[in-house]
Amino acid sequence: MQLEIITPDKKVFTGEATAVTFPGTEGQFQVLNDHAPIVSTLARGPVTVATSSGTQTFTVDGGVVEVLNNKVLVLAEAVIAA
């Protein structure tokens, strides 16, 4: 699936992902290929991206995620440096 993580001032990540784990405001959840359409709010916490070359983690400070047709768009308030 195609993943994009953006903040108001920059594009943080764009690329293919096999799985993405999110810090939802109602609890953590994971999105895989062919996931049903969803829109959810995000709390502050780690977004873990699994790709064919490994795993990356970004800490977001809240935001919104939309999943539609194997495209995942994350609109984050901010990405906090580790």
Coordinates of all heavy atoms in Angstrom, one line a residue:
M1 N 0.8 -1.2 0.0 CA 0.0 0.0 0.0 C 0.9 1.2 0.0 O 2.0 1.2 0.5 CB -0.9 0.0 1.2 CG -0.3 0.2 2.5 SD -1.4 -0.1 3.9 CE -0.4 -1.0 5.0
Q2 N 0.4 2.3 -0.5 CA 1.1 3.6 -0.6 C 0.8 4.4 0.6 O -0.3 4.6 1.0 CB 0.6 4.3 -1.9 CG 1.4 5.6 -2.1 CD 2.9 5.4 -2.5 OE1 3.2 4.3 -3.1 NE2 3.7 6.3 -2.2
L3 N 1.9 4.8 1.3 CA 1.8 5.6 2.6 C 2.4 7.0 2.4 O 3.5 7.1 1.8 CB 2.5 4.9 3.7 CG 2.6 5.7 5.0 CD1 1.3 5.9 5.7 CD2 3.6 4.9 6.0
E4 N 1.7 8.0 2.9 CA 2.2 9.4 2.9 C 2.0 9.9 4.3 O 0.9 9.9 4.8 CB 1.4 10.2 1.9 CG 2.3 11.0 1.0 CD 1.4 11.9 0.0 OE1 0.3 11.5 -0.3 OE2 2.0 12.9 -0.4
I5 N 3.0 10.4 4.9 CA 2.9 11.1 6.2 C 3.4 12.6 6.0 O 4.5 12.8 5.6 CB 3.8 10.5 7.3 CG1 3.5 9.0 7.5 CG2 3.7 11.2 8.6 CD1 4.4 8.2 8.4
I6 N 2.4 13.5 6.2 CA 2.8 14.9 6.0 C 2.4 15.7 7.2 O 1.5 15.4 8.0 CB 2.1 15.5 4.7 CG1 0.6 15.3 4.8 CG2 2.6 14.8 3.5 CD1 -0.1 16.0 3.6
T7 N 3.1 16.8 7.4 CA 2.8 17.8 8.4 C 2.5 19.1 7.7 O 2.7 19.2 6.5 CB 4.0 18.0 9.4 OG1 5.1 18.6 8.7 CG2 4.4 16.7 10.0
P8 N 2.0 20.1 8.4 CA 1.7 21.4 7.7 C 2.9 22.0 7.0 O 2.8 22.8 6.1 CB 1.3 22.3 8.9 CG 0.7 21.4 9.9 CD 1.6 20.2 9.8
D9 N 4.2 21.7 7.4 CA 5.3 22.3 6.8 C 6.2 21.4 6.0 O 7.1 21.9 5.3 CB 6.2 23.0 7.9 CG 6.6 22.1 9.0 OD1 6.0 21.1 9.2 OD2 7.7 22.4 9.6
K10 N 6.0 20.0 6.0 CA 6.9 19.2 5.2 C 6.2 17.8 5.0 O 5.3 17.4 5.7 CB 8.2 19.0 5.8 CG 8.3 18.3 7.1 CD 9.7 18.2 7.7 CE 9.6 17.6 9.1 NZ 10.9 17.5 9.7
K11 N 6.8 17.1 4.0 CA 6.4 15.7 3.7 C 7.4 14.8 4.5 O 8.6 14.9 4.2 CB 6.4 15.4 2.2 CG 5.8 14.1 1.8 CD 5.7 14.0 0.3 CE 4.6 14.8 -0.2 NZ 4.3 14.5 -1.6
V12 N 7.0 14.0 5.4 CA 7.9 13.3 6.3 C 8.3 11.9 5.6 O 9.4 11.5 5.7 CB 7.3 13.1 7.7 CG1 8.2 12.2 8.5 CG2 7.0 14.4 8.3
F13 N 7.3 11.3 5.0 CA 7.5 9.9 4.5 C 6.6 9.7 3.3 O 5.4 10.1 3.4 CB 7.2 8.8 5.5 CG 7.4 7.4 5.0 CD1 8.7 6.8 5.1 CD2 6.4 6.7 4.4 CE1 8.9 5.5 4.6 CE2 6.6 5.4 3.9 CZ 7.8 4.8 4.0
T14 N 7.1 9.1 2.2 CA 6.3 8.7 1.1 C 6.9 7.4 0.6 O 8.1 7.3 0.4 CB 6.3 9.7 -0.1 OG1 5.8 11.0 0.4 CG2 5.4 9.3 -1.2
G15 N 6.0 6.4 0.4 CA 6.6 5.1 -0.1 C 5.6 4.0 0.1 O 4.5 4.1 0.7
E16 N 6.1 2.8 -0.2 CA 5.3 1.6 -0.1 C 5.5 1.0 1.4 O 6.6 1.1 1.9 CB 5.8 0.5 -1.1 CG 5.3 0.7 -2.5 CD 3.8 0.5 -2.6 OE1 3.2 -0.5 -2.0 OE2 3.1 1.3 -3.2
A17 N 4.4 0.5 1.9 CA 4.4 -0.1 3.3 C 3.7 -1.4 3.2 O 2.7 -1.5 2.5 CB 3.8 0.9 4.3
T18 N 4.1 -2.3 4.1 CA 3.4 -3.6 4.2 C 2.4 -3.6 5.3 O 1.4 -4.3 5.3 CB 4.3 -4.8 4.3 OG1 5.2 -4.5 5.4 CG2 5.1 -4.9 3.0
A19 N 2.7 -2.8 6.4 CA 1.8 -2.6 7.5 C 2.2 -1.3 8.2 O 3.3 -0.9 8.2 CB 2.0 -3.8 8.5
V20 N 1.2 -0.7 8.8 CA 1.4 0.6 9.6 C 0.6 0.5 10.8 O -0.6 0.2 10.8 CB 1.0 1.8 8.8 CG1 1.4 3.1 9.5 CG2 1.5 1.8 7.4
T21 N 1.2 0.8 12.0 CA 0.6 0.8 13.3 C 0.4 2.2 13.7 O 1.4 3.0 13.7 CB 1.4 0.0 14.3 OG1 1.6 -1.3 13.8 CG2 0.7 -0.2 15.6
F22 N -0.8 2.6 14.2 CA -1.1 4.0 14.6 C -1.5 4.1 16.0 O -2.1 3.2 16.6 CB -2.3 4.5 13.7 CG -2.0 4.6 12.3 CD1 -2.4 3.6 11.4 CD2 -1.2 5.6 11.8 CE1 -2.2 3.7 10.0 CE2 -1.0 5.7 10.4 CZ -1.4 4.8 9.6
P23 N -1.2 5.3 16.7 CA -1.7 5.5 18.0 C -3.1 6.2 17.9 O -3.2 7.5 18.0 CB -0.6 6.5 18.6 CG -0.2 7.3 17.4 CD -0.3 6.3 16.2
G24 N -4.1 5.5 17.8 CA -5.5 6.1 17.7 C -5.9 6.7 19.0 O -5.4 6.3 20.1
T25 N -6.8 7.7 18.9 CA -7.3 8.3 20.2 C -8.1 7.3 21.0 O -8.2 7.5 22.2 CB -8.2 9.5 19.9 OG1 -9.2 9.2 19.0 CG2 -7.3 10.7 19.3
E26 N -8.6 6.3 20.4 CA -9.3 5.2 21.2 C -8.5 4.0 21.4 O -9.0 2.9 21.8 CB -10.6 4.9 20.5 CG -11.6 6.1 20.4 CD -12.1 6.5 21.7 OE1 -12.4 5.7 22.6 OE2 -12.2 7.7 21.9
G27 N -7.2 4.0 21.0 CA -6.3 2.9 21.2 C -5.5 2.6 19.9 O -5.8 3.1 18.8
Q28 N -4.5 1.8 20.0 CA -3.6 1.5 18.9 C -4.3 0.6 17.9 O -5.1 -0.3 18.3 CB -2.4 0.8 19.5 CG -1.3 0.6 18.5 CD -0.1 -0.1 19.1 OE1 -0.3 -1.2 19.7 NE2 1.1 0.4 19.0
F29 N -4.0 0.8 16.6 CA -4.6 -0.1 15.6 C -3.6 -0.2 14.4 O -2.7 0.6 14.3 CB -5.9 0.4 15.1 CG -5.9 1.8 14.4 CD1 -5.9 1.8 13.0 CD2 -6.0 2.9 15.1 CE1 -5.9 3.1 12.3 CE2 -6.0 4.2 14.5 CZ -5.9 4.2 13.1
Q30 N -3.8 -1.2 13.6 CA -2.8 -1.5 12.5 C -3.6 -1.6 11.2 O -4.7 -2.1 11.2 CB -2.1 -2.8 12.8 CG -1.0 -3.1 11.8 CD -0.3 -4.4 12.1 OE1 -0.8 -5.4 12.3 NE2 1.1 -4.3 12.1
V31 N -3.0 -1.1 10.1 CA -3.6 -1.2 8.8 C -2.6 -2.1 7.9 O -1.4 -1.9 7.9 CB -3.7 0.2 8.2 CG1 -4.1 0.2 6.8 CG2 -4.6 1.1 9.0
L32 N -3.3 -3.0 7.2 CA -2.5 -3.9 6.3 C -3.1 -3.6 4.9 O -4.0 -2.9 4.7 CB -2.7 -5.3 6.7 CG -2.3 -5.7 8.1 CD1 -2.8 -7.1 8.4 CD2 -0.8 -5.6 8.3
N33 N -2.5 -4.3 3.9 CA -3.0 -4.2 2.5 C -4.4 -4.5 2.4 O -4.9 -5.4 3.2 CB -2.2 -5.1 1.6 CG -1.1 -4.4 0.9 OD1 -1.0 -3.2 0.8 ND2 -0.2 -5.2 0.3
D34 N -5.2 -3.9 1.5 CA -6.6 -4.1 1.3 C -7.5 -3.9 2.5 O -8.5 -4.5 2.7 CB -6.8 -5.6 0.8 CG -6.1 -5.8 -0.6 OD1 -6.1 -4.8 -1.4 OD2 -5.5 -6.8 -0.8
H35 N -7.0 -3.0 3.4 CA -7.8 -2.6 4.6 C -9.1 -1.9 4.1 O -9.1 -1.2 3.1 CB -7.0 -1.7 5.5 CG -7.6 -1.6 6.9 ND1 -8.7 -0.8 7.2 CD2 -7.2 -2.2 8.1 CE1 -8.9 -0.9 8.5 NE2 -8.0 -1.7 9.0
A36 N -10.2 -2.1 4.9 CA -11.4 -1.4 4.6 C -11.2 0.1 4.8 O -10.3 0.6 5.5 CB -12.5 -1.8 5.6
P37 N -12.0 0.9 4.0 CA -11.8 2.4 4.2 C -12.1 2.8 5.6 O -13.0 2.3 6.3 CB -12.9 3.0 3.2 CG -13.1 1.9 2.2 CD -12.9 0.6 3.0
I38 N -11.3 3.8 6.1 CA -11.4 4.3 7.5 C -10.8 5.7 7.5 O -9.9 6.0 6.8 CB -10.6 3.3 8.5 CG1 -10.9 3.8 9.9 CG2 -9.2 3.2 8.1 CD1 -10.3 2.8 10.9
V39 N -11.4 6.5 8.4 CA -10.8 7.8 8.8 C -10.8 7.8 10.3 O -11.8 7.4 11.0 CB -11.7 9.0 8.3 CG1 -11.2 10.3 8.8 CG2 -11.7 9.0 6.8
S40 N -9.7 8.1 10.9 CA -9.5 8.1 12.4 C -8.6 9.2 12.8 O -7.8 9.7 12.1 CB -8.9 6.7 12.8 OG -8.8 6.6 14.2
T41 N -8.9 9.6 14.1 CA -8.0 10.6 14.7 C -6.9 9.9 15.4 O -7.0 8.8 15.9 CB -8.8 11.5 15.7 OG1 -9.5 10.6 16.7 CG2 -9.8 12.3 15.0
L42 N -5.7 10.6 15.5 CA -4.5 10.1 16.1 C -4.2 10.8 17.3 O -4.3 12.1 17.4 CB -3.4 10.1 15.1 CG -3.5 9.4 13.8 CD1 -2.3 9.7 12.9 CD2 -3.7 7.9 14.0
A43 N -3.7 10.1 18.3 CA -3.2 10.7 19.5 C -1.7 10.9 19.4 O -1.1 10.5 18.4 CB -3.5 9.8 20.7
R44 N -1.0 11.5 20.4 CA 0.4 11.6 20.4 C 1.0 10.2 20.6 O 0.6 9.5 21.5 CB 0.9 12.5 21.5 CG 2.4 12.7 21.5 CD 2.8 13.6 22.6 NE 4.3 13.8 22.5 CZ 4.9 15.0 22.7 NH1 4.2 16.0 23.1 NH2 6.2 15.0 22.7
G45 N 1.9 9.8 19.7 CA 2.5 8.5 19.9 C 3.2 8.0 18.7 O 3.3 8.7 17.7
P46 N 3.7 6.8 18.7 CA 4.5 6.2 17.6 C 3.7 5.7 16.4 O 2.7 5.0 16.6 CB 5.3 5.1 18.2 CG 4.4 4.6 19.3 CD 3.7 5.8 19.8
V47 N 4.1 6.1 15.2 CA 3.5 5.5 14.0 C 4.7 4.6 13.5 O 5.7 5.0 13.1 CB 3.2 6.5 12.9 CG1 2.8 5.9 11.6 CG2 2.1 7.4 13.4
T48 N 4.4 3.3 13.4 CA 5.4 2.3 13.0 C 5.1 1.8 11.6 O 4.0 1.3 11.4 CB 5.4 1.1 14.0 OG1 5.6 1.6 15.3 CG2 6.6 0.1 13.7
V49 N 6.1 2.0 10.7 CA 5.9 1.7 9.3 C 6.8 0.5 9.0 O 8.0 0.5 9.1 CB 6.3 2.9 8.4 CG1 6.1 2.5 7.0 CG2 5.5 4.1 8.8
A50 N 6.1 -0.6 8.5 CA 6.9 -1.8 8.1 C 7.0 -1.8 6.6 O 5.9 -1.7 5.9 CB 6.2 -3.1 8.6
T51 N 8.2 -1.9 6.1 CA 8.4 -1.9 4.6 C 9.2 -3.2 4.3 O 9.6 -3.9 5.2 CB 9.2 -0.7 4.2 OG1 10.5 -0.7 4.7 CG2 8.5 0.6 4.5
S52 N 9.4 -3.4 3.0 CA 10.2 -4.6 2.6 C 11.6 -4.5 3.1 O 12.3 -5.5 3.2 CB 10.1 -4.8 1.1 OG 10.6 -3.6 0.5
S53 N 12.1 -3.3 3.4 CA 13.5 -3.1 3.8 C 13.7 -3.0 5.3 O 14.8 -2.7 5.8 CB 14.1 -1.9 3.0 OG 13.4 -0.8 3.4
G54 N 12.6 -3.1 6.1 CA 12.7 -2.9 7.5 C 11.6 -2.1 8.1 O 10.5 -2.0 7.5
T55 N 11.8 -1.6 9.3 CA 10.8 -0.8 10.0 C 11.3 0.6 10.4 O 12.5 0.7 10.7 CB 10.5 -1.5 11.4 OG1 10.5 -3.0 11.2 CG2 9.1 -1.2 11.9
Q56 N 10.4 1.5 10.3 CA 10.7 2.9 10.7 C 9.6 3.4 11.7 O 8.5 3.0 11.5 CB 10.7 3.9 9.5 CG 11.9 3.7 8.6 CD 11.8 4.8 7.5 OE1 11.0 4.6 6.5 NE2 12.5 5.9 7.6
T57 N 10.0 4.2 12.6 CA 9.0 4.7 13.6 C 9.1 6.2 13.6 O 10.2 6.8 13.7 CB 9.3 4.2 15.0 OG1 9.3 2.7 14.9 CG2 8.3 4.7 16.0
F58 N 7.9 6.9 13.5 CA 7.8 8.3 13.6 C 6.9 8.6 14.8 O 5.9 8.0 14.9 CB 7.2 8.9 12.3 CG 7.9 8.5 11.1 CD1 7.6 7.4 10.3 CD2 9.0 9.3 10.6 CE1 8.2 7.0 9.2 CE2 9.6 9.0 9.4 CZ 9.3 7.8 8.7
T59 N 7.2 9.6 15.6 CA 6.4 10.0 16.7 C 5.6 11.2 16.3 O 6.1 12.3 15.9 CB 7.2 10.3 18.0 OG1 8.0 9.2 18.3 CG2 6.3 10.7 19.1
V60 N 4.2 11.0 16.2 CA 3.4 12.1 15.8 C 2.7 12.8 17.0 O 2.5 12.1 18.0 CB 2.3 11.6 14.8 CG1 2.9 11.1 13.5 CG2 1.4 10.6 15.4
D61 N 2.4 14.0 16.9 CA 1.8 14.8 17.9 C 0.3 15.0 17.6 O -0.2 16.1 17.4 CB 2.5 16.1 18.1 CG 2.0 16.8 19.4 OD1 1.4 16.2 20.3 OD2 2.3 18.0 19.6
G62 N -0.4 13.9 17.3 CA -1.8 14.0 17.0 C -2.0 14.2 15.5 O -1.1 14.5 14.7
G63 N -3.2 14.0 15.0 CA -3.5 14.2 13.6 C -4.7 13.3 13.2 O -5.5 12.9 14.0
V64 N -4.7 13.1 11.9 CA -5.8 12.3 11.2 C -5.2 11.3 10.2 O -4.2 11.7 9.6 CB -6.8 13.2 10.5 CG1 -7.9 12.4 9.8 CG2 -7.4 14.2 11.5
V65 N -5.8 10.1 10.1 CA -5.4 9.2 9.1 C -6.6 8.8 8.3 O -7.7 8.6 8.8 CB -4.7 7.9 9.7 CG1 -5.6 7.2 10.7 CG2 -4.2 7.0 8.7
E66 N -6.3 8.7 7.0 CA -7.4 8.2 6.0 C -6.8 7.0 5.3 O -5.7 7.1 4.7 CB -7.8 9.3 5.1 CG -8.8 8.8 4.0 CD -9.0 9.8 2.9 OE1 -7.9 10.3 2.4 OE2 -10.1 10.0 2.5
V67 N -7.6 5.9 5.2 CA -7.2 4.7 4.4 C -8.3 4.5 3.4 O -9.5 4.5 3.7 CB -7.2 3.5 5.3 CG1 -6.8 2.3 4.5 CG2 -6.2 3.7 6.4
L68 N -7.9 4.5 2.1 CA -8.8 4.3 1.0 C -8.1 3.7 -0.2 O -7.1 4.3 -0.7 CB -9.5 5.7 0.6 CG -10.6 5.7 -0.5 CD1 -11.8 4.9 0.0 CD2 -11.0 7.1 -0.8
N69 N -8.6 2.6 -0.7 CA -8.0 2.0 -1.9 C -6.5 1.7 -1.8 O -5.8 2.1 -2.8 CB -8.4 2.8 -3.2 CG -9.8 2.9 -3.4 OD1 -10.6 1.9 -3.1 ND2 -10.3 4.0 -3.9
N70 N -6.0 1.2 -0.7 CA -4.6 0.9 -0.5 C -3.7 2.2 -0.5 O -2.5 2.1 -0.8 CB -4.1 -0.1 -1.5 CG -4.3 -1.5 -1.0 OD1 -4.4 -1.8 0.2 ND2 -4.3 -2.5 -2.0
K71 N -4.3 3.3 -0.2 CA -3.6 4.5 0.0 C -3.8 5.0 1.4 O -5.0 5.1 1.8 CB -4.0 5.6 -1.0 CG -3.6 5.3 -2.5 CD -4.0 6.4 -3.4 CE -3.7 5.9 -4.8 NZ -4.4 6.7 -5.8
V72 N -2.8 5.3 2.1 CA -2.9 5.7 3.5 C -2.3 7.1 3.6 O -1.1 7.3 3.2 CB -2.1 4.7 4.4 CG1 -2.3 5.2 5.9 CG2 -2.6 3.3 4.3
L73 N -3.1 8.1 4.0 CA -2.7 9.4 4.1 C -2.7 9.8 5.6 O -3.8 9.8 6.2 CB -3.6 10.4 3.3 CG -3.3 11.9 3.4 CD1 -1.9 12.2 3.0 CD2 -4.3 12.6 2.6
V74 N -1.6 10.2 6.2 CA -1.5 10.7 7.5 C -1.2 12.2 7.5 O -0.2 12.7 7.0 CB -0.3 10.0 8.3 CG1 -0.3 10.5 9.7 CG2 -0.5 8.5 8.3
L75 N -2.2 12.9 8.1 CA -2.0 14.4 8.3 C -1.7 14.6 9.8 O -2.6 14.6 10.6 CB -3.3 15.1 7.9 CG -3.9 14.8 6.5 CD1 -5.2 15.4 6.3 CD2 -2.9 15.3 5.4
A76 N -0.4 14.8 10.0 CA 0.0 14.9 11.4 C 0.2 16.4 11.8 O 0.6 17.2 11.0 CB 1.4 14.2 11.6
E77 N -0.2 16.7 13.1 CA 0.0 18.0 13.6 C 1.5 18.4 13.6 O 1.9 19.5 13.2 CB -0.5 18.2 15.0 CG -2.0 18.0 15.1 CD -2.8 19.1 14.6 OE1 -2.2 20.3 14.5 OE2 -3.9 18.9 14.2
A78 N 2.3 17.4 14.0 CA 3.8 17.5 14.0 C 4.4 16.2 14.1 O 3.8 15.3 14.6 CB 4.3 18.4 15.1
V79 N 5.6 16.0 13.6 CA 6.4 14.8 13.9 C 7.6 15.2 14.8 O 8.3 16.1 14.5 CB 6.9 14.2 12.6 CG1 7.9 13.1 12.9 CG2 5.8 13.7 11.7
I80 N 7.6 14.6 16.0 CA 8.6 14.9 17.0 C 9.9 14.1 16.8 O 9.8 12.9 16.6 CB 8.0 14.6 18.4 CG1 6.7 15.4 18.5 CG2 9.0 14.9 19.5 CD1 5.7 14.8 19.6
A81 N 11.0 14.8 16.8 CA 12.3 14.2 16.6 C 12.6 13.3 17.8 O 12.2 13.6 19.0 CB 13.4 15.2 16.5
A82 N 13.2 12.2 17.5 CA 13.5 11.2 18.6 C 14.7 11.7 19.4 O 15.5 12.4 19.1 CB 13.8 9.8 18.0

